[in-house]
Amino acid sequence: CTDCSAGQYSGTASTTCSSCAAGKYSGTASATCSACASGKYLTNTATSIESSACTDCSAGQYSGTASTTCSSCAAGKYSGTASATCSACASGKYLTNTATSIESSACTD
C-alpha cells in the first residue's frame, strides 16, 4: 500500500487517492478530509492541523463551513474577526463601524 499525499484521501480497500473537495484539507495517509469551521477559510489543503489549514476571516467579513474565501458583510451589517454571520444594528441605530462584533462599537443612536 502507498500513502495518499497531503490534500488527498482514500477509503478502505481503495486503489486510488482522491483530492479533497473544495474547502477541505487532509494530512498524509488520511481516510477523510476535514472542513474549516465557520468564520474561517481554507488557505492550505496539505495539512491535518486546522490552525495550519484555516485562517480567520477579517472583521467586516464572514464565511460558512468549508469556505475557500470570506465574503464582505452586506451594506448596513457588521462582524468581528472569525465570524460566521454579519449582524445589523437595532432599530433606531445606524452603522458607523463594520469591523467589530460589539453592537455598541458598531452602531450609534
Side-chain angles (χ1 to χ4, degrees), residues 69-86:
T69 61
C70 297
S71 299
S72 294
C73 293
K77 294 193 173 189
Y78 63 93
S79 73
T81 302
S83 293
T85 61
C86 297

Side-chain angles (χ1 to χ4, degrees), residues 3-34:
D3 289 342
C4 292
S5 300
Q8 297 183 324
Y9 72 98
S10 69
T12 304
S14 292
T15 57
T16 61
C17 297
S18 300
S19 294
C20 294
K24 295 192 173 187
Y25 61 93
S26 71
T28 303
S30 294
T32 61
C33 297
S34 300

Side-chain angles (χ1 to χ4, degrees), residues 23-27 34-36 40-56 67:
K24 295 192 173 187
Y25 61 93
S26 71
S34 300
C36 294
K40 298 177 180 281
Y41 67 100
L42 184 68
T43 53
N44 179 7
T45 60
T47 182
S48 60
I49 303 166
E50 183 182 30
S51 62
S52 296
C54 307
T55 301
D56 290 346
S67 293

